[in-house]
Amino acid sequence: MGVQSASVDRQRPRRRTDRVAATGAILALAGCVALPLYALRANRIVNGTPLSLGAGGPAAWMLLALAIAAATASFSLAGKLRARVELACAVGMMGALLWALGFAAAHLAPDVTSPARVSIGAGAWVAVAGAAVVWFAAVHARPGRAWRVGALVALVVVVVAAAMWGGLGRLSIVLEYAVQGAAFWSAVWTHIALAGTSLGFAVAIGVPLGVASSRIPWVRTAVLSIVGVMQTVPSLALLGLLVVPLAALGLPGIGPLPAIIALTVYALLPIVRNTYVGLTQVDPSVVDAGRGMGMSRWQLLTRVEAPLAMPLLLEGVRAAAVMIIGIAAVVAFIGNGTLGVLVILGWGGQVDDLTLLGAVPMVLIAVAADVGLRAAGRLVTSPGIRMEVS
Amino acid sequence: MRRRWTGVALVGAGALVFGYVVSREDWWSLVLRSLFPDLPVVVFPSATLGQLVVQHLGLVLVSSAVTIAIGIPVGVWVTRPSGRDFRELVSATVDLGQTFPPIAVLALMMPLFGIGTPLPAIVALALYGMFPVVSGTVAGLDSVPPAVLDAARGMGMGRWQVLFRVELPLAARVIMAGVRTSVIINIGTATVAAATGAGGLGSPIFSGINTQNGALVLEGAAAAAMLAVLADSMLARVEDLVTPAG
Amino acid sequence: MIRLEEVTKRYGETLAVDRLSLEVGEGEVCVLIGPSGCGKTTTLRMINRLIEPTSGRIMVGDRDITSVTPEELRRGLGYAIQSVGLFPHLTVAENIVTVPKLLGWEASRMQARVGELLSLVGLDATSYRGKYPRELSGGEAQRVGVARALAADPPVLLMDEPFGAVDPLNRERLQGEFARIQKELHKTVVFVTHDVDEAIRLADRIALMRDGRLQQYDTPENLLDHPASKFVHDFMGADRALKRLGRVRVDAVMRSEVPRISDGSDAVAAAQRAACTAERFSYLVDQDGRLEGWIDCRLLDRGGSAESAITHVDWRATTVRPDTSLKEALSHMLELGFRSIAVTDETGRLLGDVALAGIETTLTEGDAYSAGGPAEGGAQ
C-alpha cells in the first residue's frame, strides 16, 4: 500500500503536461500560422508584403510539423523520452526555419542583380522564440548530457549548412551585410573598443573610489550620491550636457572624447558601489585576525579584503560592461562609428534590415560580454568563497 | 515618520518648480542665448519645451503603466503554484532581456510596427521596462520570510488575503525599486526614441545634432536630465512610503 | 615575559582599563576573566597594539612594545579569537602559513610546518590541508585557528575566548587539547574568557577584572580558597569545592594497585580464583592489559553463577584517562552510577582506578582551605 502510493506520487509529476514546452510549441505554431514568416520587398526600402507559409518550401511544412510534434510530445509523453523528443523538435524547428527562410530568399529573389529582397518576418522571430522556449524546457527536464551537447552541435551543423547550401546568403539582412562589409566590421570593432576603453577607465577610477568610500564616510556619501545622480541622467542628455564644458575647454563636443567620458561615467556606479559593498561586507573578525597577525593595511587590503570582495566587484564590472555596450550604441548619434550607426542609418533610410544588422550583433556582443564576464568571475574567485552571484 | 513627509513635500516642491521652469520659454531662450550668442536659433522651434515634456512623460507613463500592469502580475503568477513551472523560464528571459541594449530593443520593434509613430517606441519601452519590474516582484516576494507566510496561513487567511495583506505589503519596497529602475530606464530610452519619430525631449537634441546647434542639444539635454533626476527622487520617496514601518 | 605597568585606556569619559599592572611569567598561562565590559579584551588587544593604551607601558620580553612597528610586534605574537577569523578564500594550509609568509619563510619549510601543526592540533594533515574554512565544523575551524596562531612558533600566544563559540562538548575537548599542547610547547599565554570553569582548568594564574580594574591576580587555588573580596568570592561561584576538582587530574589520586585478572581463555575459572581476594570487584583484562570488563566477587560468594558475575564493557565508554580532571571523572561516575571508575591509557590498557572515596578526600581538603575564606557565605 505504502509502496504503491509512493510510486504513484513519483509518477504524477512526470505525467503532467510540460506546460513550458507546450507554451513554446504553441508560440512557434502561432509564428508559422498567424504571422508572416517572411516578407518580400520589391527593393530594399519599400515595405514588405507578407508571404504565405508555403513560400519556404518543404522546410516550412517541416517547421509546422515539428511545432505540432513538440506540442503533442509536451502533452502526451513523459520523463526523459519527452525531454529528448522536445529537444530534437526544438533543434529541428530552428533548422527548418533557417532552411525555409533560405528557400524563400533563393526562390523569390534568385538573381543577384534583382532588387527584390526577402526579409525575416515577425512570425520568424516568434517561431525562434517558441523553439528556444521548447529547448529551454527540454534541457530543464534532464534529457541527459549527451543530448544537451548533441543538440548544440546539431544546431551549429544546421546553421552552417543552411548558410552554405540553404540560400541564407540571399536573405535581405545578409545582403545588407554584404553591402556594408568592411563598414560593418569597423562598426563592431569601434563598438567594442569604445566600450572596452571606457570600462578600463571606469575600473581604474571606480575601484579606488570604492576603496576610499569603504574607508572614509564622507567620501562614500559624496561619491555614491554624485555617481548615483549621473546614472539617472539619460545617456543622450549627458552627451548633450557635455557639449558646454567641453567647448569651454576647447575640446570637441562630438566624437570619441565625449563618448568615452559618458560611458565611463555610466560604468562608474556599479563598479564603485560593488567595490564598496564588497569591501564593507567582509567579516570584521577576518580583518581583525589579519591585523592581529601583523598584516599591514596594504597587505590586509590586497591579501584578504580584495580577494573577498572580488566576486561582487566582478559582478559590478559585468553589469557595467553590459550597460555601456548598450550606451555605446547611443554615442553613434554624436559621430562615433559604433553599431548604433547602422541602426540610425536604417531608421533614417527606412531600411529595416540595416537596422537589424546593427541591432542583432549588438545584442550578441552584450550577451557574450555577460556570459564571458560571469565565467571570468567564477574563474578568479577562490573556491572557498564561490557564491551564488546571480 | 515626519522625515518621510518632509521628503515628499520637498520632492513635490521640486516638481512644481520644474513644471514652472519648463513653461518659461523666455528664461530658456535668455540663458541659451547668452551661452550661444552666435546661433540663429536657440530654442527648439517646432514645439515648446512644455509640449516636449508632456510628450515625453506621455511616452513614459503609457509604457510604464503597461509594464506595471503586466509585469507585477507576471511576477506574482510565477511565484504561485499555478505559475511555478514558468518561473525558471521567466527568470532566464528577464536575465537575458536585461543584457539587451535598449536601443536594440527599440530597433527590433521598428520593422514590426513601422517608423514615424510613437507606437513602436511605446511597445519597446514597455517591453524593456518589464524586466526590472518582473525581477523586482519575484525578488520582493521571495524576500518574505516563510515563517510569516506560515503564521498568516495559520491564522486562517486565504491565498488572496495572504497575497494582498502580507506578501505584497512586505514585498512593496523591492517591487517599487524595480519600478523605479524601470521608469528611469524608460525616461532615458524615450529620449533616444525621438530618433524614430516618437517625439519627446530627444527631438531638440537630435535636431541640434543634425544642424550643429549646441543650444538645442543643451535645451533638450538639460530638461531630460532634470526630468530624470526629479522622477528618480519622486520614486525614491514612493519607495520610502510603501515601506512598512519597522 | 609580559609586563603591564600602570596601563590605562580611556574612551572619552569612560575608563576601559584603569592603571592595570600585571606580570606574566615565561611559560605561564594567564587567564583574564571578568564580567563583560570589564576591560579584559581591551587589555589583550593592547598587548598586540590593536588598541593603543592611553597611558602606561607594556613590555614583552625585555622590549617596550612601542619600540617596534605594530606589524612587526604582531608577527611575533600568536593571535587566536573567538570568531576564529579564518580567511574564507584560502585553504587550511594557506591560512596556517599566513604569518610565516609575512615573515618570508621558504615554501618547503612552510609545507612541513603545516603538517606539524595540523597533527599537533589533532587534525589529519593530508585530508585537511586543502580544505576551505566553509568545509570545517566549528571545532575544526577553532583548531585550525590555534594552529595558525602557533605557525611561526611565537613565544607568546594571545587568545580571546578561542573556544567561546563551540558547543560545550567540543569545548571541553578543545580545552583538554590546549592543556596538552601547552604542556608540550610552554608558551607564554594570555587567555581571555568569561567562563570560570575554563579559567580554573587552564590557568596558571587568573587575573580577575571588573570595571577596568584588577580585582585579584593569583593562582586558581588561591582565588577559590582565599578570595580577596566578596566580588571575587561571588564571581568564582558557590561550588568552589567542586571547581577545585577541575584542577586536579585523575592520576593525582589514582590507585594503581588494583586487583586484575589477565586471562584470555577461561574467564569463569579466573572469576573463581578472584573470589578469594578481599575486593568486591576485580578487573578483567586481556593479554595486552586492555580492559575487558569486571567481575562482581560478592555475587560469586553468594553463589551466583560466573556468567552473571562478569560484566563485559567497552573501555571507551566507561573509563577515564589519567589527565582527565577529577571533576569530569566524578561526573562520569555519577552518570554511570559507579562508585569507582577505571583509568586506562589511550589504547585501553588498565592503569588503575579512582574511587569516590578518593575524590571525597580531595573535596574535604578543599573545605578545610575554604574555611579560611570570608565568612559571608550564602552567596548564590
Side-chain angles (χ1 to χ4, degrees), chain B residues 87-225:
Chain B
R87 188 182 161 136
E88 297 240 11
L89 177 68
V90 167
S91 307
T93 310
V94 163
D95 281 351
L96 183 69
Q98 281 177 318
T99 65
F100 276 39
I103 199 170
V105 177
L106 205 54
L108 291 172
M109 289 304 136
M110 285 309 139
L112 303 185
F113 297 93
I115 210 155
T117 67
L119 183 66
I122 288 176
V123 175
L125 294 184
L127 184 65
Y128 195 74
M130 202 81 78
F131 306 132
V133 172
V134 173
S135 68
T137 306
V138 172
L141 291 172
D142 275 352
S143 73
V144 177
V148 173
L149 297 183
D150 260 7
R153 276 191 221 111
M155 286 185 293
M157 285 193 190
R159 270 198 208 166
W160 292 101
Q161 287 171 317
V162 173
L163 177 63
F164 282 102
R165 296 200 194 162
V166 180
E167 290 185 84
L168 286 177
L170 286 176
R173 210 183 68 82
V174 183
I175 297 176
M176 261 319 292
V179 169
R180 179 176 161 197
T181 309
S182 165
V183 171
I184 297 307
I185 291 177
N186 275 356
I187 292 178
T189 312
T191 325
V192 178
T196 69
L201 289 167
S203 310
I205 301 181
F206 287 121
S207 162
I209 288 171
N210 290 335
T211 59
Q212 302 204 338
N213 184 325
L216 297 191
V217 172
L218 195 59
E219 182 192 9

Side-chain angles (χ1 to χ4, degrees), chain C residues 67-119:
Chain C
S67 66
V68 290
T69 63
E71 286 76 28
E72 199 186 326
L73 171 77
R74 290 172 196 153
R75 287 171 200 174
L77 306 172
Y79 185 55
I81 53 178
Q82 174 177 359
S83 34
V84 195
L86 291 182
F87 303 134
H89 60 301
L90 300 181
T91 61
V92 164
E94 289 166 331
N95 261 288
I96 290 175
V97 298
T98 306
V99 177
K101 214 176 214 165
L102 292 173
L103 295 171
W105 285 20
E106 273 174 37
S108 57
R109 188 176 166 205
M110 293 197 286
Q111 284 304 306
R113 186 70 182 144
V114 169
E116 274 169 48
L117 285 163
L118 281 175
S119 49

